[in-house]
Amino acid sequence: MRTLLLAAALALVASFTTAAQAQDPAAGFPSKSIRIYGQGTGSTADYLSRYVGQKLTERWGQPVIVDSAAGAGGTIPTNAVAKSPPDGYNLVMGHIGPMVSAVTLYARSLQYDPVKDFEPVTMVGQGVVVLVVNPGMPVSTAQEFVAYAKQKGDLAYSSAGNGSTSHLTGELLKRITGVPLQHIPYKSAGNALTAMLTGEVQVSFLSPLTAYAQLKAGKVKALAVSSAARFAGAPEIPSAAEAGIPGMDVRLWFGLFAPAKTPKAIVTKLNREIGEILRNPETQETFLKQGIASTPGTPEELGDWVKTELARWTPVIQAAGIKAD
């Protein structure tokens, strides 16, 4: 009799638990490992993914695996998340490449829509791009660089690839100033930096994180950051406005996305938990040391940001004739 009563009680608890989870799919979330696609080993997106993943693992006791798969401007891992089950267990660290540039660059082959096929979770971080030049170049300011580049007429700049933030910043500078720079795409930001250090190119547009060690060592010269005001993560570098090129306003940004139709309750839980991590003073200080500001927000804010970026950059990409290869 006791065995029967215990079995009945357990069955009743199980039925209540199942009913509760049916009403609130976030109640038991997460019950298994989560995967974040971090967009390439050593990238800023990968770093942010690993940081957030570790903190979530500590909070939830469930492993958060960071998948560093890359390819086709970040569209391959992004597409993998778009096609995954909408249950919150697969996320992608999106940025301008796969969420904005890819719409134009891969117009005929892109297998996802960055607006329709994802549920925004939260913005994770934002930063700036630094205009850097080889230290042998006889310039000390951005204005001197513009004059020198116009005089030379054949300077080349490196980027992390077609449609990357570094590429778009270079095209924007050309559009603003009329500087006749030649674009040389590389496979990563690290490769773009190496190309400048070895003299293959004379100019680049890099994140503070990528350029930090070389800036400190004096192996590259920073002329401006791509914002109207100085960036807290690199306060010693003049803003674009101070440097005399106020139109060079470009944001590095990184946000987490889940597949479309992921239950709102799960998205809300992810947003809340990750937001608490990102608002922690330790996180904010750690990110700034890497040249990124921790910028949590609502899912709606991230969704609106993507739409704004699409509207801003699509004409620039089209006007510059930027291609996928």
Side-chain angles (χ1 to χ4, degrees):
M1 178 63 72
R2 288 179 180 177
T3 301
L4 289 173
L5 287 173
L6 178 60
L10 290 174
L12 185 61
V13 170
S15 66
F16 280 136
T17 301
T18 301
Q21 291 179 343
Q23 293 178 355
D24 181 9
F29 179 87
S31 60
K32 60 181 182 179
S33 62
I34 294 174
R35 186 177 298 270
I36 299 177
Y37 286 78
Q39 301 278 8
T41 303
S43 65
T44 303
D46 185 61
Y47 169 81
L48 296 176
S49 298
R50 293 184 185 281
Y51 186 96
V52 171
Q54 179 59 39
K55 295 299 183 181
L56 285 176
T57 297
E58 294 170 4
R59 278 175 168 251
W60 288 339
Q62 292 288 353
V64 178
I65 301 165
V66 175
D67 190 320
S68 298
T75 61
I76 292 176
T78 304
N79 185 57
V81 172
K83 301 299 189 291
S84 67
D87 54 13
Y89 288 98
N90 288 283
L91 307 172
V92 64
M93 187 65 76
H95 54 84
I96 198 169
M99 306 306 288
V100 178
S101 301
V103 174
T104 303
L105 269 61
Y106 301 93
R108 295 183 179 180
S109 60
L110 195 64
Q111 299 180 40
Y112 62 85
D113 184 308
V115 175
K116 297 179 181 179
D117 293 336
F118 296 92
E119 296 292 343
V121 176
T122 182
M123 184 74 80
V124 173
Q126 292 190 12
V128 292
V129 180
V130 185
L131 165 58
V132 291
V133 299
N134 189 289
M137 189 178 292
V139 300
S140 299
T141 68
Q143 287 295 304
E144 289 178 358
F145 163 72
V146 170
Y148 178 77
K150 287 182 178 180
Q151 178 188 354
K152 293 290 290 183
D154 60 353
L155 294 184
Y157 77 94
S158 61
S159 81
N162 287 321
S164 63
T165 305
S166 50
H167 183 191
L168 296 183
T169 305
E171 294 304 312
L172 183 62
L173 182 67
K174 288 166 61 176
R175 197 174 186 179
I176 293 167
T177 64
V179 171
L181 296 175
Q182 178 187 359
H183 172 234
I184 309 294
Y186 289 83
K187 292 184 178 180
S188 69
N191 293 142
L193 173 61
T194 300
M196 193 178 64
L197 294 174
T198 59
E200 291 179 30
V201 299
Q202 299 78 39
V203 189
S204 196
F205 302 87
L206 303 170
S207 73
L209 174 59
T210 301
Y212 180 80
Q214 305 303 333
L215 285 170
K216 292 297 182 183
K219 294 184 178 180
V220 297
K221 189 185 301 183
L223 302 182
V225 296
S226 61
S227 56
R230 293 200 179 204
F231 179 60
E236 71 281 5
I237 305 174
S239 69
E242 287 179 274
I245 42 176
M248 196 180 81
D249 190 356
V250 182
R251 293 287 175 176
L252 276 172
W253 62 269
F254 304 90
L256 281 168
F257 297 81
K261 298 182 181 179
T262 298
K264 184 175 181 181
I266 290 178
V267 172
T268 299
K269 186 170 186 176
L270 284 165
N271 177 273
R272 182 179 66 250
E273 297 282 338
I274 295 170
E276 289 178 4
I277 292 169
L278 296 175
R279 292 183 184 91
N280 186 292
E282 177 189 354
T283 299
Q284 294 175 343
E285 182 179 353
T286 300
F287 278 18
L288 273 182
K289 288 180 180 178
Q290 302 297 329
I292 293 291
S294 175
T295 54
T298 67
E300 293 76 17
E301 287 170 341
L302 177 56
D304 289 342
W305 177 268
V306 172
K307 293 174 185 175
T308 299
E309 288 283 274
L310 281 165
R312 181 188 183 193
W313 289 111
T314 298
V316 175
I317 295 170
Q318 293 173 340
I322 298 174
K323 305 295 182 183
D325 51 32

